[in-house]
Each structure stands twice: as structure tokens, then as C-alpha cells.
Amino acid sequence: MKKKFKIFTLGCKTNQYESQAFSDQLKGLGLIVSEEGDADICIINACSVTHSADKKSLSAIKALKEKNKKAKFYITGCIGKEVIDLIGSDVIIIPNNQKNDLVATIFPERIVPKFYIKNFDGHTRAFVKIQDGCNSCCSYCVIPFTRGRSRSRSKDEIIFEITKLVDNGYQEIVLTGINIGEYNTEMSFEKLLNEIEKIEGLNRIKISSIDSKHITDDLINILTSSEKMVSSLHLVLQSGSEKILRKMNRKYTPEFFLEKVEKIISRNPDFTFTTDVIVGFPSETAEDLERTIDILNKVGFTKVHIFPYSKRPNTLAATFEEQIDEKIIHERKKVLEDSALRIAFKKREQFIGREMDVLFEQPSDNMSFGSTKNNLFIGVRDKIPANSVLKVKLKENKKEYILGELCK
């Protein structure tokens, strides 16, 4: 009987990529996915970016142990001290810097397939990790401690992996990393994008997330002139207050951030942006919150991921005075959420009545959803096969997507 495995993933797209690589390696060794709580091997790919993420990692271990009594357990990823102290001696810890060798650790006597992905299960777009680690040392962030300093994959490895994914039918690739703008090997990030563009059969290239300090004129030129680059960026803001940005050790001002946005929009008015914001950072005032909302309005983000500030061990921000009460953080988060939804709705209104190409994902019920080249989320009342690209007329603005109609 074939051995079975279960992988539970928390956190970023980089973790999702790595979990897919584990899955492909295990399948290459003849194992199959467990669906019934009868796994022989359980892998938790953890996240520690917030206290809530630590709690989810612990809950996942507990739930998996209850359902998979005979399994051996492995935890990797960004693991918080709280998790390490509470997971128990029966869970084997694999540090991030040894993550690529996790499956080889489980099967030391086997020849393990290379750590790269051939598919991205359940998705019509595939994530490809090009970089790991971070040199930025933001005052609130544990990632430099858990992931280490920035390091990049070689161009040849990346091109090989993307080519194989395209051969397997993927039309869109999402380039991921912990701080993707720090990519630097034998070539710059911009030159890497030029090489990826040359891959035949690849229709869309998306950057998962980037800081404004890494937006160069060369990158703007690629983003706004390429036929393959997605016309959208997840451009990380965190706060619209210059005071808070300094305390966060972010290397830009609100004015610098807006300047980069305006340069891109001047080249392509259809370009869209999403972002991350931390609410309740130590010493944040109501006026700082208003400055953040002001930036959200000026950019017109189509989606804002809002994170309540989480005090993380060993970070500089954990030592700051003027920590914000949790009740106030919750209230401010609600204000930001309401503002972000209103701003996104208004931005989507600009595209109502347009006809745009949509790359569809797996249909659900009587709806099919997909995305435009500028990352608008579109739904139609038809069953569309996954990975299809069809022209859609955008008809009605809904709360979190645009309802469209297939063009005749």
C-alpha cells in the first residue's frame, strides 16, 4: 500500500510555492495525498508574521495529530518561539535554511526529486519563488530572523522551472519571494523579467509583492510596455504617516510612494494597485490613521490587506513605548476596512462598460471567476473551463468583484 502525506500551509505565497515543491517531491517518490486522516507523514509549513499566525500553526498541529494518529510530524517555515516551546518533542523541526532538504531528511535512503514545481495544484496560475530572505530589518518584522538574509535563485533555474510549468499548460506565472526587489544574481531583477518574457507560451507574468524603494525607471518601463507583464502591482504601503514609516524602518516617505504610483499611472491609466497596511503600530494616532486613509484614496487601491499590529519577540518595535490598546486597534481596523472597500468599489467603477480579456479559474456553482490583465476580479454567470481566456463585458460593480457578461 502506498504511503500517504498531508501538507498544511500558512502564510505567504513563498510558503505556498515551497509546499507545492514538497508535494511534487513526495508524489515523485510514489506517495499519495491523504484525504481521510490516514496520513503517514504530515508537514506543517508555518508562518510567524503575527501572533495569530503562531496560534494557527499550533491549532493545525493539534488538529492533524487528532486525525492522523500514525503520522510522523514535521514543521518548517517561519516558526515562532511560542510554537517551538509548545509543539512537543514528537514534532521534528526543519529550519528554513534546510527546507529544500526536508523530504530528503524524511527519506535519507531514497533519491529525492529536485526541489522545484511542475504544477500548482488547484490553481490556474503558478507561483515561482525567485528569492528568499530579507535585508530590510523593518522594526516590527521577525522574517529576517526566521528566513535569514536575502539570497536569489539563478536565472537558469527560474527559466527552467517556468518553462516546464508553461509546458504543463500554465498561462500565468506569479513571481514570489520574501523581498522580491532584492533579487540580484548575475543579473538584476529587471533583466530577469526580460529573460522570462522570452518564454514561448507564457501569457502573463505577475510580481507578487514589492516595495516602492525597488521601483526603478527600468522596472516601470517593463511594467508599462510589456505585452506579458500584468498591469497591476501589490505595492506595500504599511502606513501613510511619515512618522510611523520612520519608526517602522521603512525606507520611503508617503510622497516617494505616491511619486512611484503616479509615474506608473501616467504611462498606463488602467494600471491597478493592491497593498498591505499595518494598523495600531506603537504611537500611531488618529491623525496617522487619517494620513493612511488619505494615501488609500489618492492611489485608489483595488484591495487592501489590513493587519493589526502584532508584537513579535526580538523585534525593535516590541520595545517601543506607546503600545496601542487592542480595542483601539480593532476599532481602527474596522475604519480602515470600511474605507478600503469603499475606495476599491469606486476604483472598479472606472471600468464598468469596458470589454476586457479574463483568465478564468475553476468554476464554482453557477459562476465562474477570473482576472483581467490589470488584476480586476471578474465573475460571470456561466460555467467556463479553467484556464480559458475570454473577452468579457464588465456590467455591474459588486461588493468585491465585477459582474460581467461574455461577449458574443
Side-chain angles (χ1 to χ4, degrees), residues 84-102:
I84 293 172
D85 291 343
L86 296 175
I87 57 174
S89 59
D90 57 338
V91 179
I92 298 168
I93 298 173
I94 306 294
N96 258 321
N97 60 5
Q98 299 173 29
K99 182 178 274 188
N100 289 20
D101 298 320
L102 185 149

Side-chain angles (χ1 to χ4, degrees), residues 8-250:
F8 184 87
T9 308
L10 282 162
C12 64
K13 290 180 175 64
T14 303
N15 265 13
Q16 294 174 50
Y17 165 87
E18 290 160 346
S19 289
Q20 181 65 54
F22 297 147
S23 179
D24 284 0
Q25 285 181 309
L26 291 167
K27 288 175 182 177
L29 292 174
L31 283 77
I32 58 176
V33 177
S34 167
E35 303 290 351
E36 305 295 333
D38 56 352
D40 299 284
I41 294 165
C42 287
I43 298 171
I44 298 94
N45 201 355
C47 174
S48 187
V49 71
T50 64
H51 178 66
S52 174
D54 277 346
K55 288 174 66 176
K56 287 178 182 177
S57 295
L58 288 168
S59 296
I61 293 168
K62 182 180 178 181
L64 287 169
K65 280 184 175 180
E66 288 175 355
K67 292 182 179 179
N68 301 273
K69 303 292 187 184
K70 65 177 182 177
K72 288 186 177 180
F73 282 82
Y74 300 82
I75 185 168
T76 188
C78 299
I79 311 168
K81 186 178 184 304
E82 177 184 351
V83 177
I84 293 172
D85 291 343
L86 296 175
I87 57 174
S89 59
D90 57 338
V91 179
I92 298 168
I93 298 173
I94 306 294
N96 258 321
N97 60 5
Q98 299 173 29
K99 182 178 274 188
N100 289 20
D101 298 320
L102 185 149
V103 175
T105 300
I106 300 173
F107 297 101
E109 76 288 353
R110 305 281 300 274
I111 298 174
V112 175
K114 190 175 178 181
F115 190 85
Y116 75 92
I117 67 171
K118 303 173 188 139
N119 293 288
F120 208 74
D121 297 340
H123 296 267
T124 55
R125 58 177 61 84
F127 302 161
V128 173
K129 184 174 84 170
I130 67 168
Q131 180 272 345
D132 204 342
C134 184
N135 297 337
S136 290
C137 295
C138 298
S139 65
Y140 53 82
C141 188
V142 296
I143 299 305
F145 305 111
T146 58
R147 285 271 182 179
R149 293 187 66 78
S150 179
R151 54 211 180 271
S152 303
R153 296 178 69 192
S154 73
K155 177 205 73 172
D156 290 343
E157 282 184 343
I158 295 165
I159 297 298
F160 175 82
E161 187 168 37
I162 294 175
T163 300
K164 291 296 181 185
L165 287 162
V166 171
D167 289 345
N168 286 335
Y170 287 89
Q171 298 187 60
E172 181 173 331
I173 298 297
V174 182
L175 303 176
T176 74
I178 300 304
N179 194 341
I180 202 169
E182 291 181 343
Y183 181 89
N184 193 1
T185 55
E186 71 274 17
M187 59 173 50
S188 66
F189 181 46
E190 292 85 352
K191 288 182 179 177
L192 174 68
L193 291 175
N194 286 328
E195 291 300 310
I196 294 172
E197 271 196 302
K198 297 174 185 176
I199 297 174
E200 292 186 14
L202 177 60
N203 289 331
R204 290 186 183 179
I205 306 163
K206 186 177 181 182
I207 298 169
S208 62
S209 176
I210 196 165
D211 283 350
S212 57
K213 66 181 181 180
H214 293 131
I215 303 294
T216 64
D217 287 346
D218 284 344
L219 182 56
I220 290 173
N221 185 54
I222 295 166
L223 289 169
T224 56
S225 64
S226 167
E227 291 295 319
K228 294 187 176 183
M229 293 298 301
V230 167
S231 302
S232 182
L233 275 182
H234 188 80
L235 193 61
V236 181
L237 176 63
Q238 302 301 24
S239 176
S241 163
E242 185 171 353
K243 176 197 79 177
I244 296 297
L245 288 173
R246 282 199 306 269
K247 290 179 75 73
M248 288 178 168
N249 198 31
R250 303 287 291 175

Side-chain angles (χ1 to χ4, degrees), residues 301-364:
F301 293 103
T302 55
K303 191 170 185 62
V304 181
H305 300 270
I306 301 167
F307 300 91
Y309 169 71
S310 185
K311 191 176 180 180
R312 308 309 293 140
N314 302 317
T315 61
L316 182 61
T319 69
F320 290 166
E321 297 180 359
E322 299 179 272
Q323 299 283 330
I324 308 297
D325 183 81
E326 284 190 15
K327 182 182 177 184
I328 294 174
I329 292 177
H330 178 76
E331 290 170 353
R332 290 179 182 174
K333 181 173 184 282
K334 182 65 169 61
V335 170
L336 271 177
E337 286 172 341
D338 291 345
S339 297
L341 285 172
R342 188 167 56 251
I343 290 163
F345 189 91
K346 182 180 178 182
K347 183 66 178 180
R348 291 197 302 271
E349 278 290 310
Q350 299 176 17
F351 299 95
I352 300 301
R354 298 270 297 273
E355 293 183 359
M356 305 182 85
D357 288 336
V358 175
L359 174 60
F360 284 94
E361 302 167 5
Q362 293 287 351
S364 59

